Amino acid sequence: MTGNTHILNWVRDMAAMTQPDNIVWIDGSKEQTEALRREACASGEIIKLNEELLPNCYLHRTAVNDVARVEDRTFICTSKKDDAGNINNWMEPKACYEKLSKLFQGSMKGRTMYVIPYAMGQLGSDFTKYGIELTDSIYVVLNMLIMTRAGAHVLAAMENEPHFIKGLHSKADLDENNRYICHFPEDNTIWSVNSGYGGNVLLGKKCFALRIASYLGRKEGWMAEHMLILGLEDPKGEIRYIAAAFPSACGKTNLAMLIPPEIYKKQGYKVWCVGDDIAWLRIGRDGRLWAVNPENGFFGVAPGTNEKSNPNALASTRRDTIFTNVVHDLDTNTVWWEGLNDHPPVHAIDWKGNPWDYRKFDKKDKSTYGAHPNSRFTSVAKNCPCVSDKFDDPTGVPITAIIFGGRRARTAPLVYQSFGWQHGTFVGSIMASETTAAAAGAVGVVRRDPMAMRPFVGYNMGDYWAHWLDMGKQIPNPPKIFHVNWFRTDGNGDFIWPGFGDNMRVLMWILARCEGTVAAQPTPIGYVPHPEDINIEDLDGVTVDTIRDLLSVDREAWKADIDHIREFYEMVGERVPAALYEELAALEARLG
Ligand code: OXD
Ligand code: MN
């Protein structure tokens, strides 16, 4: 175990409250992990899949009322309400501890408490932070062993460490009316109760690596962002790294694992994945901004993942993976989900555990889906065919460009470049996505999601923007900041840009701008490419005119957006930096 009394005392106190029958320390050994898998198979918590077709893979189903992150039950508990800000739900820390203590009281009776020592980041790196998660769920343990670096070696590294993130999780009764995901950034503490769904219970991910880490980043002078990291290698073997923030379910995993179009592949271009969801960024000794992916695996959305959309992600799921809420194919003892292929299994069980008849499937009726739309795979990053050889590098990778992106039918062009860091921060702050016909509710409703961090900033959004502006002043050689929109539609509502691998054509323009080898046209919103500078070689049905249309700046749509942005800033409140209001006024003036 450990001699670290900070850890021992805290585990003792949490056990006194939750009253587990046993306490088991997770060491990460093959033997212990295998024994836990056997126990979870025996209890039905997980199902072992076909060892030949999907070696070392398992299927888990959550409770039907527990399938996604719960933003309305997620709280930031700072002593002052203003420090959490208007975007976050807030509870006074003492009141929250008291309220949740009642739910945790005796919640592990008859169960085992697992103690998971884990690190976010590679051991020995300046970036790395430690956490301990206490949980009564073997599913959580098995996922954390994939998603983080966890086990005895981490506990040994924490031997003299007073600072670690204290995470307490109990499934309790899975009561959705008493489900709480609470963060106490001033105490380095996370309490999560009455859920068993990944984003609510794998406390290293959104809770620690984004909410608590963003708070620590501000205090300590670094940044925690909802960003993928990819490396683009040119034929000379030089690799440039890009970090990109998109709202949840806008294709971060697909972009991070992009397959270059044939025209680039045959010249020797390659794309390497460093991370698909979270980036921690620090100023390096060379004055550039450096990034690591603090995670160790991918917690990806299964539906829509296939051989064409993302062969690398699919390949990552072919072994050592935990599938959650997908279809169980009984004939082959494998898994399936909507969009995997055109061969749904004939004898199958759906995500709720009921027999599933694929012939009744109706795209418009969610109740006929075999896999839940938010069903997931938890896969080992190192199993990804395009994982970067810098994945484990404790120094991380230097970032050349930052990209923000959203899903906009008309307003945002395919790509534009900000005028500089301050304007780039403004561009990030006004990021937005529109709801699509695929989801319930009105079509085209704009949700502002600044830097894709709306659900994940662990403090006041205005202070977060101020921190971005401060960082810009401190980075001697900052990345250039861009905005992309893969989702412009034509009059019929069809996407104009092919997306997926062809997004590399846009990345090439972005990198050329960073090198200073291509010109651009200044517009009121930023620098937009000359249409002929986006490479459309071998791109069926896309002409220079298509690109011209994709790059057009619709002034009226932007003017209409200004009011929406101002309303949003007012909602964020008094701490919105003056510099961002100045950028808004300047944009308005440029639009005329
Ligand atoms: C998310 C995720 O919801 O990564 O953003 O799971
Ligand atoms: Mn995410």
Side-chain angles (χ1 to χ4, degrees), residues 35-296:
L36 288 170
R37 288 184 186 127
R38 276 197 304 272
E39 188 181 334
C41 284
S43 70
E45 189 175 351
I46 58 175
I47 296 167
K48 165 108 182 97
L49 297 167
N50 186 320
E51 181 59 24
E52 258 143 53
L53 299 175
L54 291 171
N56 197 26
C57 289
Y58 296 84
L59 168 64
H60 170 78
R61 295 188 200 104
T62 64
V64 286
N65 72 0
D66 190 24
V67 292
R69 287 186 288 103
V70 279
E71 288 178 22
D72 57 330
R73 309 204 66 92
T74 299
F75 290 80
I76 301 295
C77 306
T78 42
S79 355
K80 294 197 199 97
K81 183 172 190 311
D82 261 3
D83 290 341
N86 298 333
I87 295 277
N88 286 311
N89 300 312
W90 175 81
M91 253 193 272
E92 196 278 316
K94 191 160 166 283
C96 184
Y97 282 129
E98 270 169 25
K99 185 180 181 81
L100 267 59
S101 292
K102 292 192 187 112
L103 302 172
F104 277 114
Q105 190 64 42
S107 69
M108 295 191 191
K109 265 188 200 154
R111 300 180 187 173
T112 298
M113 172 193 271
Y114 301 97
V115 183
I116 313 169
Y118 66 98
M120 297 314 290
Q122 175 71 315
L123 292 194
S125 160
D126 289 349
F127 285 90
T128 298
K129 301 259 177 211
Y130 298 109
I132 297 210
E133 176 162 355
L134 308 178
T135 179
D136 53 6
S137 158
I138 297 181
Y139 170 76
V140 168
V141 174
L142 297 177
N143 273 272
M144 286 292 283
L145 285 168
I146 296 174
M147 291 306 295
T148 71
R149 284 128 177 132
H153 66 301
V154 180
L155 192 60
M158 292 171 76
E159 190 58 41
N160 299 312
E161 185 59 63
H163 302 293
F164 59 96
I165 306 302
K166 306 183 202 76
L168 174 64
H169 164 248
S170 174
K171 293 180 287 188
D173 312 315
L174 296 178
D175 171 3
E176 57 190 319
N177 297 317
N178 276 309
R179 185 167 295 155
Y180 289 98
I181 321 298
C182 296
H183 306 72
F184 305 86
E186 292 156 1
D187 301 342
N188 286 335
T189 294
I190 306 160
W191 280 14
S192 164
V193 67
N194 277 311
S195 175
Y197 167 76
N200 301 327
V201 300
L202 307 180
L203 300 185
K205 194 175 178 62
K206 302 300 187 181
C207 301
F208 175 173
L210 287 177
R211 298 194 189 99
I212 299 283
S214 61
Y215 176 93
L216 292 175
R218 174 167 175 250
K219 212 163 75 175
E220 299 167 1
W222 55 281
M223 305 161 93
E225 300 297 332
H226 193 198
M227 288 178 178
L228 67 91
I229 309 165
L230 66 81
L232 201 154
E233 179 174 342
D234 69 16
K236 293 197 290 287
E238 248 171 68
I239 308 182
R240 272 155 315 151
Y241 294 92
I242 295 174
F246 297 84
S248 304
C250 280
K252 276 207 304 298
T253 304
N254 291 347
L255 186 63
M257 300 178 190
L258 172 155
I259 304 265
E262 210 44 52
I263 53 153
Y264 290 117
K265 221 194 284 182
K266 69 182 182 222
Q267 292 176 57
Y269 283 97
K270 297 185 184 115
V271 169
W272 301 107
C273 172
V274 183
D276 79 325
D277 195 41
I278 298 176
W280 284 1
L281 302 136
R282 278 176 184 270
I283 304 169
R285 283 179 204 99
D286 64 354
R288 289 186 292 173
L289 192 61
W290 287 68
V292 296
N293 166 14
E295 300 191 281
N296 194 47

Side-chain angles (χ1 to χ4, degrees), residues 454-465:
R454 185 178 182 137
F456 306 120
V457 177
Y459 59 102
N460 187 306
M461 183 65 80
D463 292 340
Y464 167 76
W465 291 335

